[in-house]
Amino acid sequence: MSLSEEPIAPPPTTQQDAPSGFEDTEPVNTSMQEFYQLYQKLLVITLVLTGIIFISVWIFYSLNIALNYLIGACTGVVYLKMLANDVERLGAEKNRLSKNRFALFIGLIILATQWNDLHLMPIFLGFLTYKATLLVYTVQTAFLPDS
């Protein structure tokens, strides 16, 4: 058997299974692994949707409107990251989700209404791109449960 054909051992699931020198490692938490995989998948879908929508808006409207959409979409990605961090700490450190994420959204809307070069609707719809991601993921898992 060559070096590339050797089977890779799965990570230790308990402290007893861990090789020496790894006694302080925590048990592998499959639910957190699933959470991280879901987060990565949602992030990729959000970025792909953002790219597709940004280019479409640029083609059919203008670069200014597309950039306004992109501002909202980038804020939506930051919001998604903040939400994932809150969910990650839920249970271990906190008993409920914080409301700090809403300050990001409120600040974005206030900025859009006060700055003359920004347009509220493309920014708001850009922010909601992460919601479209959830719809895409839901439809994908409903029709392709193995993916």
Side-chain angles (χ1 to χ4, degrees), residues 6-99:
E6 291 181 23
I8 299 173
T13 55
T14 64
Q15 288 179 353
Q16 293 172 344
D17 294 341
S20 62
F22 292 102
E23 285 80 20
D24 295 329
T25 60
E26 295 179 7
V28 174
N29 191 341
T30 58
S31 62
M32 286 307 290
Q33 287 177 343
E34 289 175 9
F35 168 74
Y36 292 130
Q37 289 174 351
L38 174 63
Y39 171 67
Q40 290 296 325
K41 191 174 206 175
L42 292 178
L43 190 60
V44 167
I45 294 171
T46 302
L47 294 176
V48 167
L49 282 177
T50 297
I52 292 170
I53 295 170
F54 172 75
I55 291 170
S56 300
V57 171
W58 189 359
I59 291 170
F60 291 109
Y61 291 98
S62 69
L63 179 60
N64 186 29
I65 299 295
L67 290 174
N68 279 274
Y69 165 80
L70 192 60
I71 290 170
C74 289
T75 307
V77 169
V78 171
Y79 183 88
L80 185 63
K81 174 71 175 152
M82 292 171 72
L83 180 62
N85 287 340
D86 262 1
V87 170
E88 184 179 17
R89 286 181 285 212
L90 193 62
E93 299 173 19
K94 300 186 332 183
N95 291 333
R96 60 182 195 172
L97 297 175
S98 70
K99 306 285 189 225

Side-chain angles (χ1 to χ4, degrees), residues 113-132:
T113 58
Q114 299 301 313
W115 203 339
N116 292 334
D117 293 335
L118 296 180
H119 302 281
L120 182 63
M121 190 58 71
I123 290 175
F124 179 69
L125 293 175
F127 179 79
L128 292 180
T129 302
Y130 83 95
K131 293 285 190 180

